[in-house]
PDB file of all heavy atoms in Angstrom:
ATOM      1  N   SER M1220      -0.026  -9.250 -30.750  1.00 36.00           N
ATOM      2  CA  SER M1220       0.651 -10.367 -30.363  1.00 36.00           C
ATOM      3  C   SER M1220       1.984 -10.038 -29.878  1.00 36.00           C
ATOM      4  O   SER M1220       2.408  -8.914 -30.127  1.00 36.00           O
ATOM      5  CB  SER M1220       0.750 -11.425 -31.537  1.00 36.00           C
ATOM      6  OG  SER M1220       1.627 -10.869 -32.448  1.00 36.00           O
ATOM      7  N   ALA M1226       7.978  -5.945 -33.093  1.00 43.00           N
ATOM      8  CA  ALA M1226       8.196  -5.219 -34.248  1.00 43.00           C
ATOM      9  C   ALA M1226       7.859  -3.917 -33.996  1.00 43.00           C
ATOM     10  O   ALA M1226       8.599  -2.978 -34.468  1.00 43.00           O
ATOM     11  CB  ALA M1226       7.300  -5.917 -35.261  1.00 43.00           C
ATOM     12  N   THR M1237      16.669  10.417 -29.356  1.00 40.00           N
ATOM     13  CA  THR M1237      17.468   9.790 -28.167  1.00 40.00           C
ATOM     14  C   THR M1237      17.285  10.677 -26.971  1.00 40.00           C
ATOM     15  O   THR M1237      17.103   9.992 -25.858  1.00 40.00           O
ATOM     16  CB  THR M1237      18.974   9.984 -28.696  1.00 40.00           C
ATOM     17  OG1 THR M1237      19.120   9.242 -29.908  1.00 40.00           O
ATOM     18  CG2 THR M1237      19.807   9.312 -27.566  1.00 40.00           C
ATOM     19  N   MET M1276       0.742  10.851   5.403  1.00 98.00           N
ATOM     20  CA  MET M1276       0.976  11.673   6.656  1.00 98.00           C
ATOM     21  C   MET M1276       1.515  10.765   7.866  1.00 98.00           C
ATOM     22  O   MET M1276       2.321  11.049   8.502  1.00 98.00           O
ATOM     23  CB  MET M1276      -0.252  12.504   7.107  1.00 98.00           C
ATOM     24  CG  MET M1276      -0.613  13.507   6.068  1.00 98.00           C
ATOM     25  SD  MET M1276       0.766  14.759   5.972  1.00 98.00           S
ATOM     26  CE  MET M1276       0.732  15.524   7.588  1.00 98.00           C
ATOM     27  N   ARG M1279       5.084   9.603   7.084  1.00 98.00           N
ATOM     28  CA  ARG M1279       5.897  10.757   7.271  1.00 98.00           C
ATOM     29  C   ARG M1279       6.095  11.062   8.654  1.00 98.00           C
ATOM     30  O   ARG M1279       7.239  11.520   9.112  1.00 98.00           O
ATOM     31  CB  ARG M1279       5.488  11.998   6.678  1.00 98.00           C
ATOM     32  CG  ARG M1279       5.439  11.878   5.112  1.00 98.00           C
ATOM     33  CD  ARG M1279       5.162  13.341   4.429  1.00 98.00           C
ATOM     34  NE  ARG M1279       5.224  13.367   2.833  1.00 98.00           N
ATOM     35  CZ  ARG M1279       4.284  13.377   2.160  1.00 98.00           C
ATOM     36  NH1 ARG M1279       2.962  13.388   2.646  1.00 98.00           N
ATOM     37  NH2 ARG M1279       4.476  13.335   0.892  1.00 98.00           N
ATOM     38  N   ASN M1375       0.747   4.173 -14.758  1.00 97.00           N
ATOM     39  CA  ASN M1375       0.744   2.723 -14.150  1.00 97.00           C
ATOM     40  C   ASN M1375       0.818   1.785 -15.309  1.00 97.00           C
ATOM     41  O   ASN M1375       0.013   1.669 -16.102  1.00 97.00           O
ATOM     42  CB  ASN M1375      -0.538   2.436 -13.290  1.00 97.00           C
ATOM     43  CG  ASN M1375      -0.570   1.038 -12.700  1.00 97.00           C
ATOM     44  OD1 ASN M1375      -0.307   0.027 -13.404  1.00 97.00           O
ATOM     45  ND2 ASN M1375      -0.710   1.044 -11.473  1.00 97.00           N
ATOM     46  N   LEU M1392      -0.676  -3.461 -21.059  1.00 96.00           N
ATOM     47  CA  LEU M1392      -0.245  -2.636 -22.179  1.00 96.00           C
ATOM     48  C   LEU M1392       1.082  -2.996 -22.596  1.00 96.00           C
ATOM     49  O   LEU M1392       1.514  -2.491 -23.614  1.00 96.00           O
ATOM     50  CB  LEU M1392      -0.369  -1.164 -21.713  1.00 96.00           C
ATOM     51  CG  LEU M1392      -1.708  -0.471 -21.430  1.00 96.00           C
ATOM     52  CD1 LEU M1392      -1.445   0.900 -21.159  1.00 96.00           C
ATOM     53  CD2 LEU M1392      -2.625  -0.662 -22.618  1.00 96.00           C
ATOM     54  N   GLY M1446      10.334  -5.639  -9.592  1.00 97.00           N
ATOM     55  CA  GLY M1446      11.091  -6.772 -10.030  1.00 97.00           C
ATOM     56  C   GLY M1446      10.310  -8.019 -10.073  1.00 97.00           C
ATOM     57  O   GLY M1446      10.903  -9.063  -9.901  1.00 97.00           O
ATOM     58  N   GLN M1485      11.430  -4.950   5.966  1.00 95.00           N
ATOM     59  CA  GLN M1485      11.877  -4.140   7.090  1.00 95.00           C
ATOM     60  C   GLN M1485      12.800  -3.164   6.768  1.00 95.00           C
ATOM     61  O   GLN M1485      13.321  -3.073   5.588  1.00 95.00           O
ATOM     62  CB  GLN M1485      12.510  -5.048   8.223  1.00 95.00           C
ATOM     63  CG  GLN M1485      13.604  -5.930   7.598  1.00 95.00           C
ATOM     64  CD  GLN M1485      14.053  -6.881   8.765  1.00 95.00           C
ATOM     65  OE1 GLN M1485      13.975  -6.674   9.925  1.00 95.00           O
ATOM     66  NE2 GLN M1485      14.602  -8.057   8.353  1.00 95.00           N
ATOM     67  N   PRO M1517      15.285   3.039  13.106  1.00 95.00           N
ATOM     68  CA  PRO M1517      14.758   2.756  14.523  1.00 95.00           C
ATOM     69  C   PRO M1517      15.397   3.571  15.479  1.00 95.00           C
ATOM     70  O   PRO M1517      16.650   3.995  15.337  1.00 95.00           O
ATOM     71  CB  PRO M1517      15.160   1.185  14.658  1.00 95.00           C
ATOM     72  CG  PRO M1517      15.309   0.752  13.254  1.00 95.00           C
ATOM     73  CD  PRO M1517      15.886   1.854  12.349  1.00 95.00           C
ATOM     74  N   LEU M1566       0.895   6.272  26.800  1.00 97.00           N
ATOM     75  CA  LEU M1566       0.789   4.809  26.537  1.00 97.00           C
ATOM     76  C   LEU M1566       1.374   4.074  27.736  1.00 97.00           C
ATOM     77  O   LEU M1566       2.331   4.515  28.503  1.00 97.00           O
ATOM     78  CB  LEU M1566       1.661   4.548  25.323  1.00 97.00           C
ATOM     79  CG  LEU M1566       1.040   4.867  23.945  1.00 97.00           C
ATOM     80  CD1 LEU M1566       2.079   4.717  22.854  1.00 97.00           C
ATOM     81  CD2 LEU M1566      -0.161   3.972  23.572  1.00 97.00           C
ATOM     82  N   ALA M1642     -20.544  13.525   2.489  1.00 82.00           N
ATOM     83  CA  ALA M1642     -19.217  13.608   1.925  1.00 82.00           C
ATOM     84  C   ALA M1642     -18.212  12.798   2.795  1.00 82.00           C
ATOM     85  O   ALA M1642     -17.335  12.299   2.126  1.00 82.00           O
ATOM     86  CB  ALA M1642     -18.736  15.163   1.997  1.00 82.00           C
ATOM     87  N   HIS M1662      -1.435  -9.299  12.811  1.00 96.00           N
ATOM     88  CA  HIS M1662      -0.932 -10.449  13.733  1.00 96.00           C
ATOM     89  C   HIS M1662      -1.611 -10.233  15.082  1.00 96.00           C
ATOM     90  O   HIS M1662      -1.889 -11.179  15.836  1.00 96.00           O
ATOM     91  CB  HIS M1662       0.540 -10.187  13.862  1.00 96.00           C
ATOM     92  CG  HIS M1662       1.351 -10.458  12.745  1.00 96.00           C
ATOM     93  ND1 HIS M1662       1.799 -11.624  12.133  1.00 96.00           N
ATOM     94  CD2 HIS M1662       1.692  -9.443  11.585  1.00 96.00           C
ATOM     95  CE1 HIS M1662       2.265 -11.569  11.003  1.00 96.00           C
ATOM     96  NE2 HIS M1662       2.494 -10.306  10.700  1.00 96.00           N
ATOM     97  N   LYS M1742       9.853 -12.045  12.644  1.00 94.00           N
ATOM     98  CA  LYS M1742       8.851 -12.258  13.776  1.00 94.00           C
ATOM     99  C   LYS M1742       9.065 -11.341  14.798  1.00 94.00           C
ATOM    100  O   LYS M1742      10.124 -10.997  15.479  1.00 94.00           O
ATOM    101  CB  LYS M1742       9.161 -13.703  14.263  1.00 94.00           C
ATOM    102  CG  LYS M1742       7.928 -14.163  15.252  1.00 94.00           C
ATOM    103  CD  LYS M1742       6.506 -14.169  14.512  1.00 94.00           C
ATOM    104  CE  LYS M1742       5.520 -14.639  15.429  1.00 94.00           C
ATOM    105  NZ  LYS M1742       4.166 -14.528  14.787  1.00 94.00           N
ATOM    106  N   ARG M1753       4.281 -13.694   2.904  1.00 78.00           N
ATOM    107  CA  ARG M1753       3.510 -14.491   2.026  1.00 78.00           C
ATOM    108  C   ARG M1753       4.218 -15.897   1.930  1.00 78.00           C
ATOM    109  O   ARG M1753       5.539 -15.834   1.813  1.00 78.00           O
ATOM    110  CB  ARG M1753       3.516 -13.923   0.692  1.00 78.00           C
ATOM    111  CG  ARG M1753       2.766 -12.640   0.457  1.00 78.00           C
ATOM    112  CD  ARG M1753       2.985 -12.150  -1.035  1.00 78.00           C
ATOM    113  NE  ARG M1753       2.336 -10.988  -1.244  1.00 78.00           N
ATOM    114  CZ  ARG M1753       1.200 -10.713  -1.786  1.00 78.00           C
ATOM    115  NH1 ARG M1753       0.488 -11.842  -2.107  1.00 78.00           N
ATOM    116  NH2 ARG M1753       0.762  -9.529  -2.201  1.00 78.00           N
ATOM    117  N   SER M1844      -5.761  -8.110   2.902  1.00 32.00           N
ATOM    118  CA  SER M1844      -4.405  -8.469   3.393  1.00 32.00           C
ATOM    119  C   SER M1844      -3.373  -8.504   2.499  1.00 32.00           C
ATOM    120  O   SER M1844      -2.214  -8.549   2.833  1.00 32.00           O
ATOM    121  CB  SER M1844      -4.596  -9.834   4.088  1.00 32.00           C
ATOM    122  OG  SER M1844      -4.945 -10.852   3.093  1.00 32.00           O
TER     123      SER M1844
END
Side-chain angles (χ1 to χ4, degrees):
S1220 66
T1237 301
M1276 291 297 291
R1279 289 188 177 105
N1375 181 307
L1392 292 182
Q1485 56 183 330
L1566 287 170
H1662 298 275
K1742 186 64 177 177
R1753 296 175 184 263
S1844 64

